[in-house]
Amino acid sequence: MPILKPISGHGTVSKLRTYLEKKNRALGRDVLNLPLRDEWICEERGQRAIPVEWDVEMDDTREAYGTNKEWRGMRARTFKHFVVSPDPDDRITLEQLRELSHRWVESNFPKHEVAIVYHSDNEGSIPHAHIVVNNANLETERRLHTDHPEDLNRELQDIARKMGLSGLSNQMPSRGEKSSSGKQPRTRQSIYFGRAEKELMASGGYSWVGDIRARVALAKNTSRSQEEFFEALRRLGIEVADNSEKARRDDWIFSLADEPSKKVSGERLGYTFGKSMLSDRFQRQSAYQPSTRSASEIRHRAVDAVRLNDLNDLSRLSAALETCAKFDVRYLEDFDRRLASLTRRGHEDSEGFRRLVAARVYIAENELMTRRSDRSEGQPQATRRRGNSAEQPRQRVQEQQRTRARERGER
C-alpha cells in the first residue's frame, strides 16, 4: 500500500523548493494552477526547466488573498507538504506515480496551486512524490483545511487499488468474514496508550501493558523475519499466539511468560504492533534494521534487563530503538545529521528533537552503536578498547573452541 505522510508548513515555500530541487535530484516536476488555472505543466529530468517559479507564485498568492496572516492568534499554516511513498513490492514506475499523484490531487485540491516533485533518493531507488499544496483556495479565497486527514489516505488507497497497485481495502467484509484489513483497526496511532496506562505512567507505577510493549518493540526492531521475531520474543519472556477466530480483526496476542494472564493484542499496543503491520514489515527488505552487531548487543542488553527485572532500563532501551527506527538511525553519525536537519528548520523544541537527543545519549553511553566510518562495522566500541585481556566469557569460550578445532586438524 502507498503511505501518505502529511506535513504542515509555515512561512515561505522557497526553502522547501530549494531542498526538493537542489543538485538536480528531482526525477521530474509537475505544477497545477501555476500560473494557469486548471492546467498541468509537466517536466522530466533533462528537459527545459518549468517556466514557473512555483515558490514565488505561491507566496504571492497567499499575500494577495490574505492567507499569510495569523489565525486566532496562531501562526498561519501556509502550505501542506504530502509525501506519497508507494509500496516497494509494486515496483512502481515514474509514469504510474505521476498518474497516482495527479488523480489524488485532482480529487482533493483542484482549486489550489500545487507543485509535485519526484525523487528516488532512498534505499532501493523507489520513486516517491513530494506534493506541495498552497493554503489559498483560488475559487473561494479561503484557507486550506484538512480536518480529516484519514479521508485523504483512504482516497489514496482507493486510487491505488483502481490502478492495480496494492492498497488498503476501505470496504467492510461480509458478515462472518475475518480479515486483518477489512475492518478498521481500533487506532491508527503507531503507539497507543490507554487511560489506565496513562494514569500509571503519570504516577510512576508499573504497567504490564507497557512492559509487554517495550519487549515487543525490541523484538520487532532487531528481527528480519517472523521466525527471528518469535525467537526474540521467547528470549525476552513473551509468548505469542493467534487471537480468537471470532475476533473483529486477525491479530496476535502477546503475554508475559511468567504471568500468562497478563496478555494484550498487538493492535491494543499500537497500530504498528498489530499482526498485519508486523507481517508486512518482515516482508519488506527496506524495513528499518540496526547493523548486525548493534542488533546483537541490543538483544543481549534487553535479555539482561529482563533477567534482572530492570524495567526502567528496558523501557529506555525500547524507546531509544523506536526513535532510531522512526528516524532511520543506524550509526552515530545519523543522529548528528538528523539533529542538524531539525536545527536548520528551527525545530529544536519539537518532540522529535528531544527524542533524538535522549536516544543518542543512551545509545552512546551504553556503546550500542558504532560510527559508519568505523572499519570494524558494528563491533562494540568497549570491546575494541578492552582488547583480548578483558573479553567477555562467551567470547573466550568461542575462541577456545576454535583453537581446539585447529589443533585437532593439525594432528
Side-chain angles (χ1 to χ4, degrees), residues 1-2 104 149-162 166-173 179-185 188 249 271:
M1 65 175 181
W104 183 77
E150 64 274 10
D151 291 337
L152 298 176
N153 182 60
R154 292 192 186 104
E155 177 81 8
L156 181 66
Q157 306 303 324
D158 285 340
I159 296 173
R161 286 187 291 105
K162 290 176 182 177
S166 60
L168 282 176
S169 173
N170 292 317
Q171 302 296 320
M172 297 294 285
S179 170
S180 61
S181 60
K183 288 190 175 182
Q184 294 299 313
R188 288 283 181 178
R249 279 174 59 85
Y271 184 51

Side-chain angles (χ1 to χ4, degrees), residues 97-98 145 170 213 295:
L97 179 58
R98 267 200 156 117
H145 290 285
N170 292 317
R213 183 189 294 106

Side-chain angles (χ1 to χ4, degrees), residues 172-199:
M172 297 294 285
S174 59
R175 180 172 296 181
E177 179 185 357
K178 183 182 180 185
S179 170
S180 61
S181 60
K183 288 190 175 182
Q184 294 299 313
R186 296 180 185 275
T187 178
R188 288 283 181 178
Q189 296 179 39
S190 58
I191 300 177
Y192 173 73
F193 299 98
R195 184 178 64 181
E197 186 180 358
K198 288 179 180 178
E199 292 175 352

Side-chain angles (χ1 to χ4, degrees), residues 206 208-209 211-213 215-216 233-242 252-266 269:
Y206 167 74
W208 60 266
V209 174
D211 187 0
I212 292 177
R213 183 189 294 106
R215 302 190 200 195
V216 176
L233 289 174
R234 185 192 65 78
R235 295 182 63 193
L236 291 170
I238 296 293
E239 294 182 348
V240 58
D242 289 320
W252 281 321
I253 300 293
F254 301 106
S255 60
L256 295 172
D258 53 356
E259 293 186 80
S261 63
K262 303 291 179 62
K263 55 187 176 183
V264 61
S265 67
L269 301 174

Side-chain angles (χ1 to χ4, degrees), residues 299-311:
R299 282 194 293 266
H300 283 301
R301 186 173 186 87
V303 170
D304 287 343
V306 171
R307 179 174 55 84
L308 297 172
N309 199 32
D310 189 349
L311 301 180

Side-chain angles (χ1 to χ4, degrees), residues 21 28-32 34 39-44 50 54 58 94 97-99 101-102 114-118 130-132:
E21 299 184 357
R29 293 174 289 190
D30 299 339
V31 294
L32 174 65
L34 285 160
E39 181 176 327
W40 283 100
I41 301 178
C42 305
E43 174 216 8
E44 291 188 12
I50 293 178
W54 56 267
M58 287 185 180
L94 178 58
L97 179 58
R98 267 200 156 117
E99 180 182 355
S101 302
H102 282 208
V114 180
I116 310 178
V117 182
Y118 304 94
H130 294 265
I131 302 176
V132 184

Side-chain angles (χ1 to χ4, degrees), residues 221-239:
N221 284 318
T222 56
S223 301
R224 289 176 168 79
S225 67
Q226 182 173 304
E227 291 72 22
E228 286 187 12
F229 176 60
F230 284 173
E231 175 60 20
L233 289 174
R234 185 192 65 78
R235 295 182 63 193
L236 291 170
I238 296 293
E239 294 182 348

